[in-house]
Amino acid sequence: GLWLHPLMRLSSVPVYVTSHAEDIRGNSEWDNGIRANKLKRPMVEAAAKSCSKLILCGSNLVSEAEDIQLPEDQYTVINNCIPLNDQELSSDTSSGIRAAYNLDSDKKLVFTIGRLVPKKGLELILDAADNFDLNGYQFVIAGTGPLESKLVSQVRERELDNVHVVGRISEE
């Protein structure tokens, strides 16, 4: 998205760019912010300023847009998650998840899906399950990535019966 800056300048077609954080972050605890790189920073900032609208995948990125001095009307936040309450999750969906992974129906379900990489902080789920009384909860971690085998091993070693690392799941 942001790497299209040279093309944006040559076209009159509106360009909407979605930022998932790494591309716009100026610095971070994971040292993965592209704008933190002195060589890439000017190009990323110019691209963000050139696009018709920058879509930020979380309100935590607003400070990055402000740091670049983007006008408020040039960016918008569309959260990269879907907040659900118990009434919005159909009983068929909940039952299907519970049946697929042999989960208790009387416990609350915490489900996350995505790339299993360090910056997602998935180890925090294991730490929480290990250090707090969360017997009323079941955690399902779905997805693939470099941390998958490490997470599975940690769940086994720490005997976290309420945490399930299930790998890739079907889009159905």
Side-chain angles (χ1 to χ4, degrees), residues 54-70:
L54 182 62
I55 301 167
L56 305 172
C57 290
S59 57
N60 60 316
L61 296 176
V62 169
S63 62
E64 302 294 338
E66 291 169 346
D67 186 49
I68 295 174
Q69 300 178 346
L70 285 179

Side-chain angles (χ1 to χ4, degrees), residues 116 122-123 126 141-161 163-168:
L116 306 183
L122 296 166
E123 296 87 359
L126 306 186
I141 301 172
T144 61
L147 285 185
E148 185 175 1
S149 61
K150 181 179 178 183
L151 290 169
V152 169
S153 295
Q154 286 183 2
V155 167
R156 190 177 311 115
E157 290 167 13
R158 294 162 78 170
E159 299 177 352
L160 300 173
D161 296 331
V163 179
H164 310 273
V165 181
V166 299
R168 184 185 185 284

Side-chain angles (χ1 to χ4, degrees), residues 9-10 12 14 25 27 38 43 63 92 98 100 109 131 134 164 169 171:
R9 295 183 349 186
L10 299 174
S12 61
R25 196 173 307 281
N27 58 38
K38 291 179 184 177
M43 190 165 115
S63 62
D92 289 344
R98 291 176 192 282
L109 180 61
N131 294 304
L134 297 175
H164 310 273
I169 60 170
E171 292 184 26

Side-chain angles (χ1 to χ4, degrees), residues 25 27-33 119:
R25 196 173 307 281
N27 58 38
S28 75
E29 61 189 86
W30 301 291
D31 291 327
N32 64 345
K119 68 182 178 183

Side-chain angles (χ1 to χ4, degrees), residues 108-122:
K108 292 188 179 189
L109 180 61
V110 178
F111 188 93
T112 182
I113 184 170
R115 289 180 305 126
L116 306 183
V117 294
K119 68 182 178 183
K120 302 285 185 177
L122 296 166

